[in-house]
Amino acid sequence: MFDTIRKYAVRFRVSPRAQAPEVRERRAHNLFEAAAAYVAACAEDDQDRIDEASAWVSPEALSFGVSELACRAVIALARERDVSPHSVARDLLGLPAA
């Protein structure tokens, strides 16, 4: 919970809206770019990149993007392994087979 609050507070500190116009990035990131960067940074435990990707879009958009990425990853792994998405999801979470 405190990690979520910290991420939320960091977003205000580095928000593109809070920066001077000359400091803002020239290109807006979409929610899927933000989700991909965020998940990759989390996997590599890179807090600087996590904070950067979190600032690209709203928390709600990032949450949606991460959820969509998870769904697509589970479907891709299920097709690759020739098993059901349900089995892949449980396996990734370390849950016993249902």
Side-chain angles (χ1 to χ4, degrees), residues 1-8:
M1 180 173 151
F2 290 107
D3 189 47
T4 304
I5 294 169
R6 183 187 53 74
K7 287 178 185 177
Y8 189 73

Side-chain angles (χ1 to χ4, degrees), residues 7-8 11-12 15-17 29-32 34-35 38 52-66:
K7 287 178 185 177
Y8 189 73
R11 205 170 351 277
F12 279 112
S15 170
R17 285 178 252 138
H29 297 276
N30 72 38
L31 67 101
F32 296 114
Y38 179 84
E52 179 185 356
S54 295
W56 290 350
V57 295
S58 72
E60 296 82 13
L62 183 61
S63 177
F64 174 78
V66 169

Side-chain angles (χ1 to χ4, degrees), residues 86-87 90 95-98:
H86 184 261
S87 297
R90 292 186 66 83
L95 300 172

Side-chain angles (χ1 to χ4, degrees):
M1 180 173 151
F2 290 107
D3 189 47
T4 304
I5 294 169
R6 183 187 53 74
K7 287 178 185 177
Y8 189 73
V10 166
R11 205 170 351 277
F12 279 112
R13 192 175 69 229
V14 296
S15 170
R17 285 178 252 138
Q19 296 174 355
E22 64 274 3
V23 178
R24 290 185 188 158
E25 292 191 27
R26 296 169 194 250
R27 182 177 79 77
H29 297 276
N30 72 38
L31 67 101
F32 296 114
E33 288 176 319
Y38 179 84
V39 169
C42 287
E44 296 170 355
D45 199 27
D46 185 341
Q47 191 61 48
D48 291 336
R49 286 179 39 218
I50 290 170
D51 294 340
E52 179 185 356
S54 295
W56 290 350
V57 295
S58 72
E60 296 82 13
L62 183 61
S63 177
F64 174 78
V66 169
S67 177
E68 185 66 22
L69 178 60
C71 290
R72 292 178 187 196
V74 167
I75 290 169
L77 283 172
R79 288 179 181 159
E80 182 179 295
R81 296 177 182 180
D82 198 27
V83 296
S84 73
H86 184 261
S87 297
V88 170
R90 292 186 66 83
D91 183 48
L92 289 172
L93 293 171
L95 300 172

